[in-house]
Amino acid sequence: MSAAHASGAWRIDRDTLGRRARAAAPACDFWSLRAVSETVERLKVRDDIAEAPVLGDDSGVMLTVVDAGGIGHAATADRSEAGLRGAFASARALART
């Protein structure tokens, strides 16, 4: 596990993510955001011998945009304002097709 993961530095607090989402959100009828973050430890045994544990982190954001009578979804692991703006643009384009 890297120092950034061990310290929790890769996580973004809800207020920061909310500010970034509001700044990146397009003009549309409705939008929503769901953030997911999980840490997983995998243990394996092969031929009755325990293998080294594997630690993993997974996090990202799922966006929904309702606009022009349609609905679009997009996901991204990039929780920066630019990353959210790109995912919002994708979701909005899908909503308008």
Side-chain angles (χ1 to χ4, degrees):
M1 184 182 294
S2 72
H5 289 137
S7 69
W10 61 277
R11 296 181 192 262
I12 295 177
D13 67 81
R14 291 169 67 174
D15 291 336
T16 300
L17 187 58
R19 279 192 303 276
R20 290 179 183 176
R22 285 187 295 279
C28 60
D29 298 330
F30 171 84
W31 64 267
S32 69
L33 173 147
R34 180 175 58 97
V36 176
S37 179
E38 69 178 0
T39 302
V40 178
E41 180 178 19
R42 292 185 176 86
L43 305 173
K44 291 167 65 174
V45 175
R46 182 178 295 195
D47 296 327
D48 292 326
I49 299 171
E51 295 185 0
V54 176
L55 300 175
D57 293 317
D58 189 19
S59 62
V61 176
M62 173 71 173
L63 303 167
T64 300
V65 171
V66 177
D67 197 32
I71 186 168
H73 302 284
T76 182
D78 182 353
R79 292 161 297 175
S80 69
E81 188 175 324
L84 294 173
R85 184 170 280 114
F88 270 125
S90 296
R92 185 174 187 218
L94 288 170
R96 291 181 161 207
T97 58

